[in-house]
């Protein structure tokens, strides 16, 4: 690519120097005006030639070297960009799901984590983890009780609220119910 540009610049410089040399050789007459017009057209053609060739390559369906991405660094950068877009997609989807769940009745606080498949360009959702705190259940600061118990009871979300959250998220965001996990904060 750089070689083609330098070759084009050399040809253009050569043409301008040659035109100047011809102009100095001819005496001042009608012939010199005619020569200036012809040389001006040649210089314009030399400037526009790469653009015309580019359009011809596009029409013929050939690969254009400028847009061809054969080197490793370009592919690596594209892969990095794809991962960045997937992370942005995960965060944005989590934010949207969080605001949707917060608008439901009986929900005080929500935290959402979305995991998308890194190998799929469309952003296929692998799992959604939802942590919910119901209104009236718990507070921001909970007392700590240290006891030795044999059975640890895990606080559960009431069934009505859990179904409402599951179906709302599943229907609005087209996420299968199997990959949505709900926990209580």
């Amino acid at each position: 690519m750089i070689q083609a540009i330098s070759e084009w610049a050399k040809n253009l410089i050569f043409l301008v120097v040659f035109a100047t040399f011809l102009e100095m050789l001819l005496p001042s007459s009608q012939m010199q005006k005619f020569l200036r017009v012809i040389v001006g057209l040649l210089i314009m053609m030399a400037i526009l030639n790469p653009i015309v060739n580019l359009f011809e390559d596009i029409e013929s369906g050939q690969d254009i070297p400028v847009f061809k991405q054969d080197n490793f660094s370009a592919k690596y950068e594209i892969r990095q960009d794809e991962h960045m877009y997937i992370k942005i997609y995960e965060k944005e989807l989590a934010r949207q799901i969080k605001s949707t769940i917060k608008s439901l009745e009986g929900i005080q606080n929500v935290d959402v984590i979305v995991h998308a498949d890194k190998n799929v360009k469309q952003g296929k959702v692998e799992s959604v983890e939802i942590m919910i705190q119901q209104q009236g259940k718990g507070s921001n600061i909970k007392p700590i009780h240290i006891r030795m118990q044999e059975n640890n009871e895990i606080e559960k979300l009431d069934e009505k609220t859990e179904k409402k959250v599951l179906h709302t998220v599943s229907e609005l965001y087209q996420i299968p119910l199997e990959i949505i996990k709900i926990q209580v904060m």
Side-chain angles (χ1 to χ4, degrees), residues 72-88:
F72 176 75
S73 64
K75 289 180 182 179
Y76 178 74
E77 288 176 13
I78 290 172
R79 236 181 265 124
Q80 291 291 9
D81 288 345
E82 287 174 358
H83 288 294
M84 181 184 66
Y85 292 134
I86 290 172
K87 285 181 183 181
I88 292 171

Side-chain angles (χ1 to χ4, degrees), residues 54-71:
L54 179 68
F55 285 120
E56 286 176 359
D57 288 346
I58 291 173
E59 267 184 23
S60 67
Q62 292 179 357
D63 287 336
I64 302 167
V66 176
F67 301 115
K68 207 173 186 184
Q69 296 180 352
D70 286 337
N71 58 14

